[in-house]
């Protein structure tokens, strides 16, 4: 028997928690049942509930970079096929970047939720599938010049039809992925999470009745819109501009520019990227929804950093995005975009926050490391004789703020992901971690310093491993803010077996970029060393608390030479 739930402020709070808990349970299912470390260790996925129009009503958003794609992917599928496309028990998979997705590795799975014959909503999840084919193991070809080199592209297709396997679609997918066993396990983890979401939503309908839950979800969306509009209205009206230069696109050594104008007008925000570079030849373009995610992320940072407002489609309504088609922030077919989601989007967030600094300087951080530091590798494991492939990222430094130092070793702010523990890493892949830790002197100096980068050295233990990389912030380091200094940029080096020195990949292999390359083969005994980028400093370094400088020196975060140079700190004078 249904219980009565009044849709007042208390009732809506109860309903919000119930819906959010369903999304959280779905996330737990994905984490516990998936095969790939990118899911069960990295948490590079999000789980959501949506209404029948594809509006987001609840989420467990491990990965904010996906927030622009989640509602658009379902809504655009509905527009393309109509409600009649969906039947009870269906699970639809979709990764097409030109139909509302982020980039090819990101796959959205959606399951319709019916009450008798009426479609009332969707359970959904979106996750970075570690290997989707294409020209490079790990499906991150930093020299790709079109989408067809990046992997298998799927328009919305049914993995399951009325609860039964669509075997022909499964055959196509598994035949095109280098690690089909992992794909099989990860897709089943996604499907299992959707089925849990469907069951829990049905139970919620039984508890409070369908009409109450449906009306309540709509009220929650309206509530979030009102709350965010009220927060935006507190910001000073005006037009705020900024620009940034990205060092290269992976194919050529030429930089490109992104420009933004943010207009705050009453209770709405407009982000206009007009004037940004045309889409580039390499994969550093992003899709419209990736640019949108960056705008949402930056807006939430300055209006609701504690996530007190329920995250649903209502939060998106006061925000408008202008991203010219054919530009680096709105790629057109067949332009590549695998790096836009992981490495252009974090810099877009930094760009947007730099523009907003003039409006709310106390709420804005200096530039972060701004790169997911994507390291991809694959080969035949010498112990098992089986092919493996992995997508790996590491933490970088976050930017300092007006009130605190930046976080150390943080995976990019658009992802919330975790790194893979060394023990798990070495048990699965033929690589030995010789060292792993925070990189001294990598942070930008400031009244509040930036966060420290991470550094790691790996030794190849297999006869050969094929590596690809897509790092950024190597040539153009993360900038400081309000008088803070720039951080140290990223670095990627290799030492061949028998040699004594580490050298850059472009020096040894002739690739176009020192940190972006595809399918470089390293052999047993070779060593790879990399450092991510640090975070920019905030404020004049000479104003930093002397005790904080001393502690940084004692901990080895800042060398004595850097402390004297940047902070005017002389230990003997203290």
């Amino acid at each position: 028997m249904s219980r009565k739930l009044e849709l007042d402020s208390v009732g809506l709070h109860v309903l919000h928690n119930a819906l959010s808990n369903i999304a959280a349970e779905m996330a737990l299912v994905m984490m516990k049942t998936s095969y790939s470390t990118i899911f069960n260790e990295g948490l590079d996925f999000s789980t959501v509930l949506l209404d029948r129009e594809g509006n987001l009503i609840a989420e467990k958003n491990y990965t904010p970079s996906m927030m622009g794609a989640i509602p658009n992917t379902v809504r655009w599928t509905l527009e393309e096929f109509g409600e009649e496309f969906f039947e009870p028990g269906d699970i639809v998979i979709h990764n097409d970047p030109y139909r509302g997705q982020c980039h090819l590795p990101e796959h959205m799975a959606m399951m319709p939720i019916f009450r008798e014959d009426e479609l009332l909503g969707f359970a959904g999840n979106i996750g970075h599938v570690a290997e989707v084919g294409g020209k490079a193991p790990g499906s991150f070809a930093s020299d790709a010049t079109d989408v067809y080199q990046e992997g298998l592209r799927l328009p919305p297709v049914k993995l399951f039809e009325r609860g039964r396997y669509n075997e022909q679609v499964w055959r196509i997918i598994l035949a095109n992925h280098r690690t089909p066993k992992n794909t099989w396990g990860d897709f089943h983890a996604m499907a299992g999470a959707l089925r849990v979401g469907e069951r829990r939503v049905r139970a919620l309908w039984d508890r409070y009745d369908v009409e109450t839950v449906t009306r309540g979800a709509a009220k929650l969306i309206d509530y979030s819109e009102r709350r965010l509009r009220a927060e935006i209205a507190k910001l000073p009206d005006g037009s705020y501009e900024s620009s940034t230069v990205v060092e290269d696109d992976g194919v050529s050594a030429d930089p490109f520019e992104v420009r933004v104008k943010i207009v705050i007008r009453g209770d709405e925000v407009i982000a206009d990227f007009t004037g940004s570079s045309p889409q580039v030849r390499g994969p550093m373009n992003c899709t419209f929804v990736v640019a949108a995610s960056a705008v949402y992320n930056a807006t939430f940072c300055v209006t609701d950093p504690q996530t007190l407002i329920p995250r649903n489609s209502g939060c998106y309504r006061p925000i408008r995005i202008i991203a010219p088609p054919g530009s680096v922030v709105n790629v057109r077919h067949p332009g590549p975009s695998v790096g836009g989601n992981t490495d252009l989007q974090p810099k877009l967030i930094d760009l947007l926050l730099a523009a907003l600094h003039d409006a709310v300087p106390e709420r804005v951080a200096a530039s972060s490391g701004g790169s997911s530091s994507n390291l991809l590798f694959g080969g035949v494991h010498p112990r098992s004789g089986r092919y493996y492939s992995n997508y790996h990222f590491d933490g970088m430094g976050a930017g300092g703020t007006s009130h605190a130092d930046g976080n150390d070793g943080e995976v990019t702010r658009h992802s919330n992901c975790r790194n893979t523990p060394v023990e798990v890493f070495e048990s699965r892949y033929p690589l030995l971690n010789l060292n792993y830790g925070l990189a001294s002197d990598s942070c930008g100096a400031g009244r509040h310093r930036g966060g420290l980068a991470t550094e790691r050295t790996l030794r190849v233990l297999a006869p050969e491993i094929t590596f690809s990389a897509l790092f950024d912030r190597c040539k153009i380091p993360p900038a400081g803010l309000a008088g803070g200094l720039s951080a140290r940029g990223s670095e990627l080096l290799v030492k061949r077996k028998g040699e004594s020195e580490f050298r850059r990949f472009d020096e040894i292999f002739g690739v176009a970029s020192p940190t972006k390359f595809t399918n470089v083969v390293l052999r047993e005994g070779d060593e790879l060393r990399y450092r991510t980028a640090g975070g920019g400093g905030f404020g004049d370094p000479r104003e930093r608390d002397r005790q904080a400088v001393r502690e940084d020196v004692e901990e080895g975060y800042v060398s004595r030479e850097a402390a004297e140079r940047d902070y005017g700190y002389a230990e003997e004078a203290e």
Side-chain angles (χ1 to χ4, degrees):
M1 179 180 293
S2 298
R3 303 179 189 177
K4 186 172 180 59
L5 180 69
E6 296 292 341
L7 296 178
D8 53 14
S9 58
V10 174
L12 287 176
H13 186 72
V14 169
L15 181 60
H16 166 66
N17 285 343
L19 293 167
S20 298
N21 285 341
I22 293 172
E25 185 178 356
M26 292 166 63
L28 188 63
V29 171
M30 279 192 67
M31 181 179 69
K32 293 293 187 181
T33 62
S34 55
Y35 284 25
S36 298
T37 55
I38 190 68
F39 281 1
N40 51 45
E41 296 291 346
L43 306 182
D44 196 354
F45 63 82
S46 300
T47 51
V48 296
L49 298 173
L50 307 102
D51 67 16
R52 65 183 298 168
E53 285 83 31
N55 297 306
L56 178 67
I57 58 176
E59 66 175 10
K60 178 58 178 175
N61 203 336
Y62 281 125
T63 312
S65 66
M66 301 168 180
M67 69 176 78
I70 286 166
N72 281 305
T73 302
V74 176
R75 187 177 300 117
W76 292 2
T77 302
L78 283 165
E79 290 181 3
E80 184 170 353
F81 295 104
E83 285 189 9
E84 61 275 10
F85 175 67
F86 295 97
E87 298 180 282
D90 285 354
I91 293 179
V92 174
I93 197 81
H94 167 22
N95 76 333
D96 190 344
Y98 312 111
R99 284 182 168 93
Q101 262 291 15
C102 305
H103 61 175
L104 276 185
E106 237 81 286
H107 285 61
M108 176 84 183
M110 59 193 90
M111 184 176 193
I113 306 176
F114 285 83
R115 185 70 163 187
E116 296 177 351
D117 293 329
E118 184 181 8
L119 175 65
L120 292 178
F122 294 87
N125 48 42
I126 184 170
H128 185 121
V129 178
E131 163 54 53
V132 299
K135 67 182 293 188
S139 309
F140 250 75
S142 60
D143 62 352
T145 55
D146 63 46
V147 70
Y148 302 104
Q149 298 174 335
E150 296 184 312
L152 179 65
R153 176 168 152 233
L154 296 171
V157 291
K158 294 184 180 181
L159 276 181
F160 294 87
E161 291 186 285
R162 299 192 67 86
R164 298 173 63 88
Y165 285 99
N166 186 343
E167 292 189 8
Q168 303 308 313
V169 169
W170 279 92
R171 285 174 178 271
I172 293 170
I173 293 171
L174 298 181
N176 281 276
H177 290 193
R178 290 180 178 85
T179 53
K181 179 180 178 182
N182 281 2
T183 296
W184 188 94
D186 291 342
F187 277 6
H188 278 81
M190 296 173 80
L194 298 181
R195 289 173 178 137
V196 167
E198 181 198 32
R199 289 200 301 271
R200 296 294 183 262
V201 168
R202 287 179 173 276
L204 194 64
W205 289 343
D206 291 339
R207 186 177 185 184
Y208 295 127
D209 80 62
V210 173
E211 195 270 341
T212 297
V213 173
T214 302
R215 281 196 305 114
K219 283 180 173 290
L220 281 169
I221 291 174
D222 291 341
Y223 168 79
S224 293
E225 180 183 1
R226 290 195 304 273
R227 285 286 309 277
L228 191 67
R229 286 190 182 278
E231 294 300 323
I232 293 172
K234 296 176 185 177
L235 305 178
D237 281 2
S239 177
Y240 308 96
E241 298 185 39
S242 189
S243 66
T244 191
V245 175
V246 181
E247 54 199 34
D248 61 60
D249 67 353
V251 172
S252 76
D254 298 329
F256 62 91
E257 184 182 26
V258 186
R259 304 183 62 86
V260 72
K261 177 192 290 185
I262 299 177
V263 177
I264 300 173
R265 186 171 60 197
D267 62 358
E268 71 173 356
V269 170
I270 304 168
D272 184 356
F273 290 99
T274 299
S276 297
S277 292
Q279 69 185 59
V280 291
R281 192 156 177 253
M284 289 293 286
N285 304 294
C286 65
T287 62
F288 174 85
V289 298
V290 169
S293 292
V295 176
Y296 300 145
N297 194 316
T299 303
F300 297 157
C301 281
V302 300
T303 56
D304 184 35
Q306 303 301 320
T307 320
L308 301 178
I309 301 172
R311 292 288 187 263
N312 56 44
S313 285
C315 295
Y316 304 163
R317 290 175 178 171
I319 304 169
R320 294 170 54 198
I321 297 104
I322 300 170
S327 70
V328 290
V329 292
N330 191 356
V331 64
R332 278 180 167 155
H333 177 270
S337 61
V338 70
N341 194 49
T342 62
D343 274 60
L344 184 56
Q345 189 183 126
K347 282 178 276 296
L348 294 183
I349 298 169
D350 287 339
L351 169 68
L352 291 153
L353 291 175
L356 288 167
H357 177 256
D358 291 337
V360 280
E362 73 284 357
R363 303 187 190 184
V364 171
S367 291
S368 68
S371 173
S372 295
S373 305
N374 312 282
L375 183 67
L376 303 307
F377 55 87
V380 177
H381 203 295
R383 288 202 307 267
S384 66
R386 294 180 178 175
Y387 195 90
Y388 65 89
S389 179
N390 186 50
Y391 166 53
H392 181 75
F393 44 71
D394 252 323
M396 45 100 211
T401 69
S402 63
H403 57 277
D405 294 343
N407 292 335
D408 302 323
E410 177 183 277
V411 177
T412 48
R413 65 175 50 156
H414 75 313
S415 70
N416 286 347
C417 294
R418 309 185 306 193
N419 68 335
T420 300
V422 168
E423 296 82 359
V424 175
F425 188 92
E426 292 184 346
S427 70
R428 295 197 179 194
Y429 311 115
L431 289 162
L432 176 66
N433 285 263
L434 299 179
N435 67 278
Y436 178 41
L438 297 174
S440 179
D441 286 341
S442 58
C443 53
R447 184 171 72 251
H448 293 118
R449 65 165 175 82
L452 291 156
T454 58
E455 58 184 357
R456 188 191 296 254
T457 305
L458 301 169
R459 178 179 293 160
V460 175
L461 300 182
E464 65 177 46
I465 299 178
T466 301
F467 283 90
S468 300
L470 201 157
F471 282 52
D472 212 71
R473 300 285 204 200
C474 171
K475 306 170 192 173
I476 304 175
L481 194 60
L485 302 185
S486 296
R488 194 177 178 190
S490 63
E491 186 177 58
L492 187 59
L493 305 173
V494 63
K495 183 174 73 173
R496 308 308 298 268
K497 183 179 180 180
E499 296 184 356
S500 59
E501 295 183 358
F502 282 89
R503 293 183 289 159
R504 295 182 357 171
F505 274 79
D506 54 340
E507 293 175 0
I508 297 177
F509 297 103
V511 293
S513 167
T515 55
K516 298 184 184 75
F517 55 81
T518 303
N519 291 343
V520 169
V521 176
L522 298 186
R523 304 190 186 281
E524 189 168 5
D526 291 347
E527 294 178 7
L528 181 148
R529 175 182 294 169
Y530 65 89
R531 183 188 67 243
T532 62
F538 189 101
D540 187 344
R542 303 291 170 134
E543 297 176 2
R544 184 165 176 78
D545 179 75
R546 295 294 93 181
Q547 179 60 27
V549 179
R550 181 184 296 111
E551 290 176 357
D552 282 345
V553 172
E554 290 173 350
E555 292 289 344
Y557 298 158
V558 176
S559 67
R560 286 180 170 81
E561 294 78 12
E564 184 174 351
R565 180 189 68 232
D566 298 334
Y567 296 102
Y569 173 81
E571 190 173 17
E572 63 275 6
E574 291 296 318

